[in-house]
Amino acid sequence: MIVWFVVFLLLLVLNYKNNRRWLKITMLLLFLIVACRNLYMGMYDTWMVYKPFYDEMQGASLNWVYETHKDKDVVFYLLTWVYRQFTDNFQIYLALCAFPIFHSTYLLIKKYSVNYALSIILFLTVCQFWTTFSGIRHCLALGFVTYAILYNGKRPFLFKTILILIASCFHISALIALAIPFVHLIKLSNRFIFFSIPSFMALVILTKNT
């Protein structure tokens, strides 16, 4: 409870100061909350999904890891196996997995935000932050996609494509981000946007009911 009170105080300071030093301190604290969290914080994924397969890596062969997980995000499991050859510290593993999303989000806010405190509040309230407690693969993928967004228009297309392909190694849905470099080329009329949003919402509701 105390740590969230500290986060609240930092947001107040950040809203008043709005400088990069306080942004860095706030993001660092949020990262440490996730990196040093108890195994049972968040949803069940960490202790019922990731921890069991993490323990399975001890003494497992590389071939076994590949054959067991080759149909889904195999690179993530292979990297986990490599990590397990050096240490069995699960806490450091969680910290390493959380780093890309926090670092890339910090860079994104620092570069584009005009109100750091509001950006942090959005980060905390749109589920992105809370997902880091359980969706380890998802957040790794999202971190690399965010790096690709940061370099959109600044680096060669191949560089952004490589970042997104790396992200897809952790979660295949990241491939949709390959469309990012072309978004600015799409011209949409206000009428199209007006009718497409409710149509999309209706489609989601109908699909959910079926």
Side-chain angles (χ1 to χ4, degrees), residues 14 18-25 106 110-111 116:
L14 191 59
N18 200 47
N19 62 44
R20 293 181 177 179
R21 182 180 66 177
W22 287 103
L23 170 64
K24 187 180 296 184
I25 292 172
Y106 162 72
K110 183 178 74 170
K111 184 175 182 179
Y116 293 155

Side-chain angles (χ1 to χ4, degrees), residues 16 62 87 107 112 118 122 161 167 179 191:
Y16 176 73
L62 186 60
T87 177
L107 294 178
Y112 293 110
L118 180 59
L122 287 173
T161 302
R191 179 179 295 180

Side-chain angles (χ1 to χ4, degrees), residues 188-203:
L188 299 177
S189 65
N190 291 334
R191 179 179 295 180
F192 176 83
I193 295 174
F194 179 80
F195 286 107
S196 63
I197 292 177
S199 299
F200 176 76
M201 294 176 64
L203 181 61

Side-chain angles (χ1 to χ4, degrees), residues 19-195:
N19 62 44
R20 293 181 177 179
R21 182 180 66 177
W22 287 103
L23 170 64
K24 187 180 296 184
I25 292 172
T26 306
M27 287 298 293
L28 178 60
L29 177 59
L30 293 176
F31 166 74
L32 290 175
I33 290 173
V34 174
C36 302
R37 70 184 185 273
N38 184 282
L39 185 64
Y40 300 102
M41 283 189 70
M43 296 180 67
Y44 62 86
D45 298 58
T46 302
W47 60 277
M48 288 189 67
V49 178
Y50 292 105
K51 188 60 167 68
F53 93 75
Y54 178 87
D55 292 334
E56 286 179 350
M57 297 293 176
Q58 186 173 14
S61 67
L62 186 60
N63 183 64
W64 178 87
V65 175
Y66 175 78
E67 291 297 328
T68 304
H69 300 285
K70 64 182 179 181
D71 295 328
K72 186 178 181 182
D73 310 314
V74 65
V75 174
F76 171 74
Y77 298 101
L78 292 175
L79 289 175
T80 300
W81 180 87
V82 171
Y83 173 84
R84 289 288 273 132
Q85 306 313 301
F86 296 95
T87 177
D88 61 353
N89 193 311
F90 190 65
Q91 207 68 53
I92 295 177
Y93 174 77
L94 293 178
L96 290 173
C97 290
F99 179 79
I101 184 62
F102 281 93
H103 182 248
S104 61
T105 301
Y106 162 72
L107 294 178
L108 191 71
I109 293 174
K110 183 178 74 170
K111 184 175 182 179
Y112 293 110
S113 177
V114 295
N115 187 322
Y116 293 155
L118 180 59
S119 296
I120 295 293
I121 291 172
L122 287 173
F123 178 63
L124 291 172
T125 55
V126 297
C127 295
Q128 189 175 356
F129 172 72
W130 304 106
T131 303
T132 59
F133 286 98
S134 53
I136 295 177
R137 287 188 302 111
H138 307 68
C139 290
L140 273 168
L142 190 56
F144 282 99
V145 168
T146 307
Y147 283 129
I149 293 172
L150 276 168
Y151 297 125
N152 191 33
K154 295 284 184 79
R155 295 290 182 90
F157 176 75
L158 180 61
F159 181 78
K160 297 188 286 287
T161 302
I162 291 173
L163 286 174
I164 294 170
L165 290 177
I166 291 173
S168 70
C169 292
F170 301 114
H171 205 284
I172 194 64
S173 63
L175 288 175
I176 197 173
L178 288 172
I180 289 174
F182 307 104
V183 170
H184 70 285
L185 300 176
I186 302 174
K187 305 295 183 182
L188 299 177
S189 65
N190 291 334
R191 179 179 295 180
F192 176 83
I193 295 174
F194 179 80
F195 286 107

